[in-house]
């Protein structure tokens, strides 16, 4: 891309939309289910790590554990619970998205996200028009480019 002295090279966000097809629905559901399974696995690991750390503390301390050890155990449990809460929030979001996908109509356009593009502007160009570009995909293939490229 050659640029003259009276042009500028700028970046713009481009909205990416997808047309809902049976294939798109299936792939989106599989992706979300994989995320949910991964979160479940992380929750199990977190629980086991927390129990191991607490067991190790109890093993190394006097019986019954003193106030300092009890405080450490409480801190570990608080950290585990805080992390668990974050993971459960992520899982709930994924479950909601999974539910939402099932309500989409075939041929409906849905937002997939954004990508960046580089473009040139020069005197007399309508910048607002040049910023409003979007790509429409059908099963991953560009079906339409909308806007002033």
């Amino acid at each position: 891309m050659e640029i003259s002295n009276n042009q500028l090279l700028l970046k713009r966000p481009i909205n990416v939309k997808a047309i809902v097809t049976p294939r798109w629905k299936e792939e989106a559901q599989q992706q979300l289910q994989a995320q949910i399974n991964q979160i479940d696995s992380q929750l199990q690991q977190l629980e086991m790590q927390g129990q191991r750390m607490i067991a190790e503390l109890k093993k190394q301390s006097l019986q019954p554990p003193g106030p300092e050890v009890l405080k450490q155990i409480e801190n570990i449990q608080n950290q585990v619970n805080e992390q668990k809460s974050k993971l459960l929030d992520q899982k709930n979001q994924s479950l909601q998205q999974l539910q939402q996908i099932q309500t989409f109509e075939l041929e409906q356009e849905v937002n997939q996200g954004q990508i960046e593009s580089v473009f040139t502007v020069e005197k007399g160009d309508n910048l607002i028009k040049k910023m409003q570009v979007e790509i429409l995909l059908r099963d991953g293939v560009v079906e339409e480019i909308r806007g002033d490229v």
Side-chain angles (χ1 to χ4, degrees), residues 81-116:
N81 289 339
E82 192 176 304
Q83 194 62 28
K84 235 191 216 180
S85 179
K86 287 179 186 175
L87 288 170
L88 287 171
D89 283 347
Q90 288 176 7
K91 182 177 178 177
N92 284 336
Q93 277 184 334
S94 295
L95 286 168
Q96 286 173 353
Q97 288 173 335
L98 193 57
Q99 226 173 7
Q100 188 179 25
I101 285 171
Q102 292 162 352
T103 67
F104 288 157
E105 303 275 327
L106 291 180
E107 298 302 310
Q108 176 181 349
E109 293 180 14
V110 293
N111 287 321
Q112 285 284 105
Q114 286 189 336
I115 56 175
E116 279 193 344

